[in-house]
Amino acid sequence: MKFFDAEKMDATPMETETESSDASNNHNGVGVTHASESLKSQLIRHKINEEELLMHSNFPLFANVEVDFSNCSPFVNRLIYEVAMFVASLPHMIPKWILLSWASLYLFRNLAYVRHEQGERLKDLGFELIPEFPNDFLGEVNLYVNLFTALFAVIMPLFNNVSHSKGAFGVDVYVKIVNMTCVGHVLRFATYISTSLPGPAPHCQPGAPLYRDSLTFREYFTRRSRVHVDPNCGDLIFSGHMFQVMTFSIVTLAHLNDLVRNRFISRIVSTILVVTPLLQPIFIIGARNHYTVDVVVSSYVAPLLYLAMERFYTTSFYKCSAKWTSTLIPTFLRKFLDEKNPCRASREEELLEINPELSDIVKKYEMIPKDILFLLDLHKSEPLGNKRLDSSNDGRVENIERKANDGNIFHRKGN
């Protein structure tokens, strides 16, 4: 890649074209604009290459934008990187938000409501063991305690210098939570729409004053049920509240050691994330919002779904789809995320210290930070055999490369 040199600016071909353009403009009675002078000063100061110069020429909106975070505090740099990752995730996050905010709260639940038929409560073991509560206040409080504790852990990488260098980003954990929640709500809809059970909640029992026998076609898409105003019935198996608590706890606990570096805070967070899922079934069953089977199914669907999602993230289908969605991200944003990635820099330094040839593999396959970490693990686990192999042994490096290639982790730049 050819870069402009401040000391040899006059000798570059691009400068000759600029001077010719300026001379032409002066001939036509038009002077050199302030924007071109500003752009030239940016070239000298930041040594922008020719491709970036073309980008500035094609997008005048960014011609005078000067991005320099070198003087920012570490917290601001981490915040900027997390925001950039969040913006980069928008192409695939927007449909998921629509699913969670509209389909699961409006369409799915309203379809369940119109299929629901009132009836006496089914025989339930939980109802026999747990007395009925006057309302579901405790369950809602427990839900929000779990939610805000998980969100607290997600933003903790902003406040330490280690998380990002280890590849732990709050946005990544948030995306995993949203992905698992979306899949869970689709599975939940497929389950409760298949078989409608008589709702155990008081507002679903025969004679309930707020119960409605039907909905208009428009209400299928626009009605949002509200407790004590227009409550919902029919969306039973499996419990959405229990699934949400389990999802936030499982995903956050799986990454907690990298997210929260302070041991004392980590213990408090982990305690809350373990206790809240244990209390939630009591509050749900006590409020009679769900049968015990709804809570039991949520309790094992959530961890199994997490394991399935983690396996899915390693498949070629996910990698291809992630690579496709990355094409929707602006080029300058992808370049920023790649160049400023703190995990990549630290991993590449570690590879150089262990074996320079491994660093060549990183460049050859344009590996992302998680792949570099995988490469390091392979290097540590590669058996030495009877002979002691030094860092320059080609056979070992080739064997590591073959194993990594079998893991199908290459060509993932931009995912």
Side-chain angles (χ1 to χ4, degrees):
M1 187 66 70
K2 186 177 182 180
F3 289 89
F4 287 96
D5 193 334
E7 297 178 355
K8 300 179 180 180
M9 195 69 180
D10 296 333
T12 58
M14 192 61 66
E15 175 63 19
T16 304
E17 293 180 12
T18 305
E19 290 176 357
S20 300
S21 177
D22 294 344
S24 176
N25 289 339
N26 289 331
H27 177 73
N28 295 326
V30 181
V32 179
T33 62
H34 174 72
S36 64
E37 292 177 354
S38 176
L39 177 58
K40 182 176 179 180
S41 64
Q42 290 181 43
L43 289 172
I44 297 174
R45 221 170 20 250
H46 300 289
K47 298 183 180 180
I48 299 180
N49 59 45
E50 295 177 11
E51 292 180 357
E52 294 180 20
L53 176 61
L54 291 175
M55 183 188 72
H56 281 268
S57 302
N58 296 331
F59 300 95
L61 176 62
F62 300 101
N64 293 319
V65 174
E66 190 173 314
V67 181
D68 185 9
F69 303 122
S70 59
N71 296 326
C72 297
S73 66
F75 170 80
V76 173
N77 284 324
R78 290 191 292 266
L79 177 61
I80 291 173
Y81 196 84
E82 291 275 4
V83 171
M85 291 184 65
F86 179 79
V87 174
S89 70
L90 290 179
H92 64 86
M93 290 298 291
I94 291 177
K96 299 170 189 175
W97 291 334
I98 294 175
L99 172 65
L100 293 177
S101 62
W102 175 72
S104 64
L105 291 179
Y106 290 78
L107 180 61
F108 292 174
R109 300 185 71 190
N110 290 336
L111 290 174
Y113 188 81
V114 297
R115 288 183 53 80
H116 175 261
E117 292 185 2
Q118 291 179 303
E120 297 296 328
R121 290 172 177 167
L122 302 178
K123 187 175 181 63
D124 189 273
L125 179 62
F127 292 173
E128 298 173 2
L129 298 177
I130 302 174
E132 185 171 355
F133 297 167
N135 53 56
D136 59 354
F137 174 76
L138 293 178
E140 293 297 319
V141 171
N142 190 72
L143 178 73
Y144 281 104
V145 168
N146 175 273
L147 168 64
F148 287 113
T149 303
L151 292 179
F152 170 79
V154 166
I155 66 172
M156 284 305 291
L158 296 174
F159 302 96
N160 69 79
N161 296 317
V162 181
S163 295
H164 280 191
S165 64
K166 290 184 173 292
F169 302 95
V171 172
D172 283 343
V173 179
Y174 170 74
V175 169
K176 284 189 174 184
I177 291 174
V178 173
N179 289 344
M180 186 170 166
T181 306
C182 286
V183 176
H185 274 287
V186 173
L187 294 177
R188 181 171 179 256
F189 170 70
T191 306
Y192 65 62
I193 203 67
S194 302
T195 303
S196 298
L197 303 178
H203 56 261
C204 299
Q205 292 294 296
L210 297 177
Y211 190 83
R212 301 169 59 183
D213 295 326
S214 62
L215 299 176
T216 64
F217 180 76
R218 181 180 180 181
E219 285 180 318
Y220 280 27
F221 305 93
T222 59
R223 169 185 173 269
R224 179 173 182 179
S225 60
R226 298 180 300 278
V227 181
H228 309 307
V229 177
D230 189 8
N232 202 66
C233 302
D235 54 331
L236 294 176
I237 302 177
F238 43 90
S239 170
H241 279 55
M242 187 65 195
F243 179 79
Q244 178 176 321
V245 170
M246 290 290 293
T247 297
F248 276 78
S249 292
I250 291 173
V251 177
T252 307
L253 287 172
H255 301 85
L256 188 62
N257 289 335
D258 292 329
L259 293 174
V260 183
R261 305 300 301 178
N262 184 286
R263 183 173 298 182
F264 176 73
I265 297 177
S266 178
R267 287 177 178 175
I268 295 177
V269 171
S270 60
T271 300
I272 296 175
L273 293 178
V274 170
V275 171
T276 48
L278 296 178
L279 295 177
Q280 193 67 21
I282 300 175
F283 299 143
I284 292 175
I285 297 173
R288 301 298 188 259
N289 287 333
H290 284 276
Y291 293 109
T292 305
V293 64
D294 307 339
V295 176
V296 172
V297 172
S298 288
S299 300
Y300 64 74
V301 165
L304 292 178
L305 180 58
Y306 172 77
L307 296 177
M309 294 291 291
E310 289 297 308
R311 180 66 182 88
F312 174 71
Y313 294 143
T314 64
T315 62
S316 58
F317 174 80
Y318 174 79
K319 296 172 186 177
C320 291
S321 61
K323 189 171 184 178
W324 180 84
T325 56
S326 69
T327 60
L328 304 176
I329 305 172
T331 304
F332 73 91
L333 185 57
R334 279 186 291 171
K335 185 176 181 181
F336 172 83
L337 290 172
D338 184 62
E339 292 181 349
K340 303 297 183 181
N341 193 320
C343 177
R344 184 187 184 96
S346 62
R347 296 303 179 191
E348 287 183 348
E349 291 176 0
E350 188 174 350
L351 280 175
L352 283 173
E353 294 178 358
I354 295 177
N355 193 325
E357 295 183 33
L358 295 179
S359 182
D360 293 337
I361 297 178
V362 173
K363 297 177 181 178
K364 176 181 177 181
Y365 294 99
E366 296 182 317
M367 297 170 66
I368 63 173
K370 291 182 180 178
D371 294 343
I372 298 174
L373 182 61
F374 179 71
L375 195 64
L376 283 170
D377 292 338
L378 280 179
H379 184 274
K380 296 175 182 178
S381 62
E382 176 66 17
L384 295 177
N386 296 328
K387 298 181 179 180
R388 183 180 182 276
L389 300 178
D390 57 22
S391 62
S392 62
N393 185 276
D394 294 334
R396 186 180 186 189
V397 172
E398 290 177 359
N399 197 25
I400 291 173
E401 184 175 359
R402 178 184 57 79
K403 285 186 177 182
N405 204 9
D406 292 342
N408 194 24
I409 66 169
F410 296 143
H411 305 293
R412 290 179 52 190
K413 188 177 182 181
N415 288 10

